[in-house]
Amino acid sequence: MDYIKWIRTKVGHDQIILNFAGGCLLNKNREVLLQKRSDRASWGFPGGAVELGESVCETVEREFYEETGLKVITKELIGVYSKYEDCYPNGDKAQPILFFFHVEYRDGELFKETNNETLELAFFPLDQVPKLVNEQHDACYRDLMCYEGKPFIR
């Protein structure tokens, strides 16, 4: 079931609270994997909406595979980001609540071609991250830069 499509049939474009989970994968060179998202042609951390019956850990692992081709395992919570608003290109409005995790590579290869969610995938040095998709992803990046095993709540 696509929860967002289902709930949007009930509320249209009105602002709602949506739960998301995303992740940060660092390679052996301490570069971070980012996804150029097809919905906005902007860079961000891989992740997506929590589906009914799914945990946030299951969400980030599923979304990582769907968007990057990589199987990951959720390791640690970096932070929860809840005081943001977003308006999507189709006019949908939401207050997204994002659970942001450090993830570890398990298996798979990065997609080489685009798909309906991903225009490009690339690893970036932590001090050379491009402009990110929104303020929420910016907060994730800032917290990633000072992460010492203590979750952040925003």
Side-chain angles (χ1 to χ4, degrees):
M1 169 193 247
D2 185 324
Y3 178 73
I4 293 176
K5 284 183 182 175
W6 176 80
I7 199 75
R8 287 296 178 191
T9 66
K10 312 268 186 228
V11 300
H13 296 297
D14 289 350
Q15 186 170 16
I16 59 173
I17 294 173
L18 289 173
N19 293 294
F20 294 90
C24 157
L25 176 67
L26 299 172
N27 66 14
K28 62 183 178 191
N29 298 321
R30 305 269 311 144
E31 297 168 321
V32 64
L33 178 64
L34 295 177
Q35 168 200 26
K36 192 170 214 178
R37 308 167 62 89
S38 62
D39 60 348
R40 299 185 190 193
S42 298
W43 291 98
F45 295 98
V50 178
E51 295 291 345
L52 288 175
E54 213 175 33
S55 73
V56 291
C57 293
E58 290 168 332
T59 298
V60 73
E61 292 168 8
R62 174 184 53 78
E63 288 284 348
F64 237 88
Y65 183 70
E66 290 175 2
E67 295 176 351
T68 71
L70 301 180
K71 292 182 180 178
V72 298
I73 186 165
T74 306
K75 296 302 286 183
E76 296 176 285
L77 178 67
I78 293 175
V80 178
Y81 305 84
S82 59
K83 194 169 173 70
Y84 298 88
E85 292 182 4
D86 209 348
C87 184
Y88 297 90
N90 68 356
D92 288 352
K93 295 179 182 133
Q95 178 179 339
I97 299 173
L98 174 64
F99 297 82
F100 185 60
F101 294 93
H102 173 239
V103 300
E104 182 179 279
Y105 170 80
R106 291 300 240 198
D107 192 29
E109 292 186 26
L110 278 179
F111 289 144
K112 305 265 191 262
E113 297 182 16
T114 63
N115 62 40
N116 64 338
E117 294 184 275
T118 304
L119 297 176
E120 187 178 348
L121 296 164
F123 281 94
F124 292 90
L126 287 171
D127 62 351
Q128 295 176 29
V129 167
K131 180 174 174 18
L132 297 175
V133 65
N134 59 33
E135 186 181 348
Q136 196 172 41
H137 283 242
D138 288 339
C140 292
Y141 171 69
R142 285 191 305 274
D143 289 348
L144 170 63
M145 294 301 290
C146 56
Y147 177 62
E148 296 178 17
K150 297 178 184 171
F152 293 85
I153 307 295
R154 296 208 191 279

